Amino acid sequence: MLNLGLSKLAERTIDPPISWLMKLALERPKLISLAAGFTDNASLPVGASAELLRDILAEPKIARASLQYGSTAGDMELRNLTLRRLEHLDGVPRKTYSAENLLITHGSQQFLYLVTECLCDTGDIVLVEDPTYFVYLSILQSHGIEARGVKFDLDGLNLDVLESVLEKLKSEGNLARVKMLYLVSYFQNPSGVTTSSEKKQAMLEILRRFEKDAGHPIYLLEDAAYRELQFSGASVPSALITAEARKRVIYAGTYSKPFATGVRVGYGYLPDSLVQPVTRVKGNHDFGTSHLLQQLVRAALTSGKYEAHLPALRERYKHKAEIMATAIRTHFPQSVGWEAAAGGLYIWARLPGSVQTGPKSALFRACLKSDVLYVPGELCYAPDRTRRAPQNEMRLSFGSASEEKIREGIKRIGKEVSKLAPKGAN
Amino acid sequence: MLNLGLSKLAERTIDPPISWLMKLALERPKLISLAAGFTDNASLPVGASAELLRDILAEPKIARASLQYGSTAGDMELRNLTLRRLEHLDGVPRKTYSAENLLITHGSQQFLYLVTECLCDTGDIVLVEDPTYFVYLSILQSHGIEARGVKFDLDGLNLDVLESVLEKLKSEGNLARVKMLYLVSYFQNPSGVTTSSEKKQAMLEILRRFEKDAGHPIYLLEDAAYRELQFSGASVPSALITAEARKRVIYAGTYSKPFATGVRVGYGYLPDSLVQPVTRVKGNHDFGTSHLLQQLVRAALTSGKYEAHLPALRERYKHKAEIMATAIRTHFPQSVGWEAAAGGLYIWARLPGSVQTGPKSALFRACLKSDVLYVPGELCYAPDRTRRAPQNEMRLSFGSASEEKIREGIKRIGKEVSKLAPKGAN
């Protein structure tokens, strides 16, 4: 029987690029992967987790609570701790944010999924950065949601282009389909760019101006997954900081990346009007996030072990980012554009226009032959035919590879790029 | 702005009955809840979990793997262990089932959600038992999927009615919309009934006969959530036992209920053709189930602690079920129909037809006034206008309440039922 009876969602859902790259890596054990978004194995909080879990399970009342169901929205104390942390990072007074608006999820990825389900029907439109986080593009594609790419500069989204994209959608009569702008605001995956607080507020103003014609709010979905992986200095405030903004901003955060990715605990902050719908759908997904994982994160926060873990983690990523930067300076031709990382896990490289980086390109194949893998930049662009996406970029991750492999991997990629880059440009 | 820009899914998603009941319970701390599907607090494997997590985190390689991302489908060793267990329970030779077809999920609830997303579009039809698991009805309603209730006897689904429902759908030209039959096969939530192996295979044959007219497979989604909570004896085989059946049967199992509900690890076995679609959508949900939780369950299985925990857990539920049965015999009028539990967490009571049990009924209000809560039976029936659902049933759970509270709760309900039951019938 050829017709499997699949839903339209299942038929639309393609194999994510990430799984294809991971499969390549698994098939070639010698391969140096600068593609994976995995975090650094050596800095995982093994000792801290062991102590915290021992303490949790030694106290009968807490032990039983952690092995029992919790509530759909999540443990109230963890929600309060998360809010206090968020307020601190945002530099706003305590109790500015409300625990009622916070939902604990199985990683922030689940929160992104829930929000998208609750706001978008098939045929709706989500604005995304050019480039953006490719797994989010998979969620959109799976739901038959159209992604419109908005031009991105070295300081983030180009506001003039955002406005002109919205004007164009308005003139086409498509504004009612526009539900939100998806923004990866800190050390963006893949570009490494952090969006300033002013720019985020300016985006909100622009979105707001088009709401009347849209007939409904146009939300800003701020994905702050890499926020805590800042190498030094204070955090840029999130878009949540004003009461007006909190009516439109949906904020996704996570404990997985800064603590341990095997502990899938993320969270989201929602405008009042979306709390109930998103929580209800979360209930249908799984009744709530594993209580044991929630208790572990809660204990990490209250014990101070979470805070104590961060400086070492940041120092480690900073060190690996510097190793990658030094290797790029040494081995990449000068015609390659790139910025040093100030946080996160990635460096984004813009090759000369003639050097294609895609999965079928000469460069990608040559790199694979040399046992080194990067993420082709074009995978990070929405399939939006209204603009041409660059074909000459790559995402390089210093997250999981060892220092030696970062050096060797960049050397190998640099060698292949140098062969293909136009000589005059070097 | 009145239009919130919600998706149709969000607009359809109502507050689940379970959360309303849970809220009632929270608001009245003295309330005896025989409604909650929570598991028994006293039998949670606190000591075993402490030891297993200590060992996992003491071994650097395993520790790091458990705190890092895993694969979307789940840890291969846990999948193999799960299959061996499933083969053992089903009494089939080793290696009858394939790990490629098994997916680890955040509880079996997530698996039910994924399967439903992958098979059903809005407007499709899923056949369900009358009564059935009410949270699954919420998933269907949220997706705009129509549920058709099929009459249920004391030994499970009435096969003649199943056939006539399908005939009716065929004559209406609606068979193409029918994607699956959802069956809670062991100690059913809410009725406690276990469906025999023969009946399951007979259902598959009936479904198969209608496939040609449907134009696609009609799957059997077997939800075996309570399978391991059998008080004694060998397990009835699942519907997976023949190679032919495995082309149509989707099997959902869980470690949460038999081990610890705070450890959200469930799993699903899929026909070959559905493995890729469901795994892809799982990737969009969360990239895979928390690796730490998976390692905990894996260690519980390999160490023998899981097997060692089961007899005590079963003994405990058996004991509590007997206490409830004794209390019902003592306090309920003889006009109430019910069966003693052989496993699971529930006893289903059928009151005289004149005694309504719904949320607005005199009985429900009287019970609430006496500080005791049950699940009104009508919540377990699909909103299917093609048949009339009974209004006089209730689900009573012996899962989480203490022995004393079970006795007292049943006494209070029995008192109110006795007041309302027709005297002649007693």
Side-chain angles (χ1 to χ4, degrees), chain A residues 1 3-10 13-15 37-39 41-42 44-46 49-50 53 57 63-64 66-70 106 109-110 113 117-121 133 135 138-139 142-143 179 211 215-217 219 257 260-264 273-274 277 280-281 283-288 290-293 296, chain B residues 1 3-10 13-16 37-39 41-42 44-46 49-50 53 57 63-64 66-69 106 109-110 113 117-121 133 135 138-139 142-143 179 211 215-217 219 257 260-264 273-274 277 280-281 283-288 290-293 296:
Chain A
M1 199 169 264
N3 181 345
L4 297 172
L6 294 180
S7 67
K8 293 190 188 82
L9 179 137
T13 310
I14 53 161
D15 219 21
F38 276 40
T39 48
N41 246 330
L44 289 166
V46 172
S49 301
L53 287 165
L57 291 164
R64 284 176 185 167
S66 71
L67 295 177
Q68 183 60 274
Y69 284 124
H106 275 123
Q109 177 76 14
Q110 188 192 34
Y113 196 94
E117 269 187 304
C118 285
L119 285 177
C120 301
D121 288 309
Y133 170 46
V135 184
S138 294
I139 293 179
S142 174
H143 287 86
K179 294 297 181 68
E211 288 193 348
H216 54 69
Y219 298 93
K257 285 208 164 58
T261 47
V263 178
R264 312 281 304 125
S273 55
L274 299 183
R280 284 174 178 173
V281 176
N284 283 344
H285 272 236
D286 57 20
F287 316 134
S290 160
H291 218 214
L292 179 62
L293 297 181
L296 172 56
Chain B
M1 199 169 262
N3 181 346
L4 297 172
L6 294 179
S7 66
K8 292 191 188 82
L9 178 136
T13 310
I14 52 161
D15 219 21
F38 277 41
T39 47
N41 245 331
L44 289 165
V46 172
S49 300
L53 286 165
L57 290 163
R64 284 176 185 167
S66 72
L67 295 177
Q68 183 60 275
Y69 284 126
H106 274 124
Q109 177 75 14
Q110 188 192 34
Y113 197 94
E117 269 188 303
C118 285
L119 285 177
C120 300
D121 289 307
Y133 170 45
V135 184
S138 294
I139 294 180
S142 174
H143 286 87
K179 294 296 180 69
E211 288 193 349
H216 55 70
Y219 298 93
K257 284 209 165 57
T261 47
V263 176
R264 311 283 303 126
S273 55
L274 299 183
R280 284 174 177 172
V281 175
N284 284 344
H285 273 235
D286 58 18
F287 317 133
S290 161
H291 218 214
L292 180 63
L293 298 181
L296 172 57

Side-chain angles (χ1 to χ4, degrees), chain A residues 288-302:
Chain A
T289 301
S290 160
H291 218 214
L292 179 62
L293 297 181
Q294 290 190 70
Q295 294 304 318
L296 172 56
V297 173
R298 172 178 160 173
L301 290 166
T302 49

Side-chain angles (χ1 to χ4, degrees), chain A residues 264-287:
Chain A
R264 312 281 304 125
V265 178
Y267 55 89
Y269 195 88
L270 291 156
D272 295 345
S273 55
L274 299 183
V275 171
Q276 201 178 55
V278 177
T279 308
R280 284 174 178 173
V281 176
K282 163 80 174 162
N284 283 344
H285 272 236
D286 57 20
F287 316 134

Side-chain angles (χ1 to χ4, degrees), chain A residues 78-243:
Chain A
L78 176 58
R79 288 156 75 195
N80 280 322
L81 289 163
T82 302
L83 279 194
R84 297 297 87 84
R85 198 171 165 73
L86 204 49
E87 286 162 351
H88 173 73
L89 285 172
D90 278 351
V92 299
R94 275 176 73 99
K95 309 210 170 172
T96 302
Y97 304 154
S98 153
E100 292 301 314
N101 297 58
L102 197 97
L103 182 68
I104 306 288
T105 51
H106 275 123
S108 59
Q109 177 76 14
Q110 188 192 34
F111 183 73
L112 298 180
Y113 196 94
L114 291 167
V115 164
T116 308
E117 269 187 304
C118 285
L119 285 177
C120 301
D121 288 309
T122 299
D124 278 347
I125 295 169
V126 171
L127 308 178
V128 300
E129 297 165 293
D130 262 348
T132 188
Y133 170 46
F134 51 73
V135 184
Y136 189 66
L137 293 176
S138 294
I139 293 179
L140 295 180
Q141 203 221 15
S142 174
H143 287 86
I145 299 159
E146 225 175 272
R148 284 286 170 98
V150 179
K151 191 173 174 291
F152 199 77
D153 298 326
L154 291 180
D155 67 341
L157 209 69
N158 183 309
L159 296 178
D160 294 335
V161 176
L162 173 63
E163 205 158 352
S164 71
V165 166
L166 284 162
E167 281 294 353
K168 188 159 179 284
L169 287 162
K170 181 180 164 184
S171 69
E172 293 166 358
N174 280 327
L175 219 46
R177 294 163 57 203
V178 179
K179 294 297 181 68
M180 57 181 167
L181 166 61
Y182 172 68
L183 182 78
V184 186
S185 53
Y186 297 89
F187 317 108
Q188 198 228 27
N189 178 359
S191 73
V193 168
T194 294
T195 303
S196 72
S197 181
E198 295 70 29
K199 189 165 250 196
K200 285 187 276 199
Q201 295 305 320
M203 278 176 208
L204 279 168
E205 273 175 43
I206 293 170
L207 296 177
R208 176 80 73 161
R209 286 213 301 280
F210 288 86
E211 288 193 348
K212 207 184 145 198
D213 289 299
H216 54 69
I218 303 178
Y219 298 93
L220 176 66
L221 174 52
E222 175 169 23
D223 180 349
Y226 299 90
R227 183 174 194 178
E228 305 238 30
L229 303 185
Q230 173 156 346
F231 298 158
S232 60
S235 184
V236 167
S238 78
L240 290 169
I241 49 171
T242 74

